[in-house]
Amino acid sequence: MNREDAYYFMIMLASGLDEEYNAWLDKHLETEEPLSDITYELSLCGSDVNKAVSCLKNYRAGESVDERTVSERLRLFLKNAYDSNRFGKKEIVAYMHRFSEVVGDPCDFEIAVWGDMYYMDDYYALAEDGVISWKKFDSMFFAFLNEGIEMDRKNFWDNM
């Protein structure tokens, strides 16, 4: 497991999504000979998600992580979930918000994509309330979800 994997799974688990993590852990428990330290430690966590999150957090502590790689992986997970009808727009937006909250405070985000995920929930609410059009929201939402195109918050209110 590399640090990006640990960060990705930590965010997923802390957001209530455990299927990918469980599949990863099961695969590594079956195929690693001998078990790596992190796989062994995670196996001791059992079904305690909080322990697993803590273990993953400790594993990546003090090490640099390529946040763009992790955020891209999360975006692709959400894109796949949307494309397969596993989640609708509302759920996708809610998970984006959860992911960014796990990462930290919006004022401290290292890269813009975390802010895009964080604020997408607000834009969804604005569309629900009729403050912005669904067309404008969908344009932003799908550009981000499908292509990873960051929002242009500076010019957001133009051309409504």
Side-chain angles (χ1 to χ4, degrees):
M1 171 179 278
N2 62 38
R3 301 304 190 249
E4 285 75 19
D5 289 338
Y7 198 33
Y8 172 80
F9 287 129
M10 184 197 80
I11 293 169
M12 294 285 281
L13 284 173
S15 299
L17 298 166
D18 65 359
E19 288 176 27
E20 266 190 73
Y21 165 79
N22 289 333
W24 177 90
L25 183 59
D26 289 345
K27 177 185 169 209
H28 285 269
L29 286 171
E30 292 174 9
T31 60
E32 283 186 12
E33 186 67 37
L35 290 179
S36 63
D37 290 344
I38 187 62
T39 301
Y40 176 72
E41 288 178 41
L42 290 168
S43 73
L44 296 176
C45 297
S47 61
D48 188 332
V49 172
N50 291 331
K51 276 186 179 179
V53 167
S54 179
C55 185
L56 291 165
K57 189 174 186 176
N58 289 338
Y59 178 72
R60 61 169 279 279
E63 299 288 331
S64 64
V65 174
D66 183 350
E67 290 192 45
R68 288 207 183 276
T69 298
V70 175
S71 65
E72 179 66 3
R73 193 168 165 192
L74 291 166
R75 183 189 68 78
L76 291 173
F77 167 81
L78 293 173
K79 180 184 181 331
N80 182 43
Y82 183 82
D83 290 346
S84 66
N85 295 315
R86 180 175 172 197
F87 301 139
K89 263 189 254 185
K90 190 170 189 154
E91 292 87 6
I92 296 292
V93 167
Y95 278 116
M96 285 181 183
H97 193 78
R98 285 183 205 154
F99 293 167
S100 63
E101 286 183 319
V102 171
V103 170
D105 187 286
C107 297
D108 296 333
F109 290 147
E110 295 290 320
I111 59 174
V113 70
W114 298 128
D116 290 350
M117 286 190 188
Y118 183 85
Y119 290 111
M120 192 69 73
D121 189 53
D122 292 337
Y123 296 128
Y124 186 89
L126 291 172
E128 273 189 320
D129 293 343
V131 175
I132 64 169
S133 70
W134 280 108
K135 182 178 178 181
K136 183 158 182 105
F137 173 79
D138 284 347
S139 174
M140 266 187 332
F141 176 78
F142 288 115
F144 180 78
L145 187 67
N146 293 332
E147 305 297 326
I149 297 171
E150 295 178 3
M151 288 188 278
D152 184 4
R153 286 191 288 279
K154 182 178 179 184
N155 297 313
F156 176 76
W157 295 104
D158 296 342
N159 304 318
M160 295 230 330

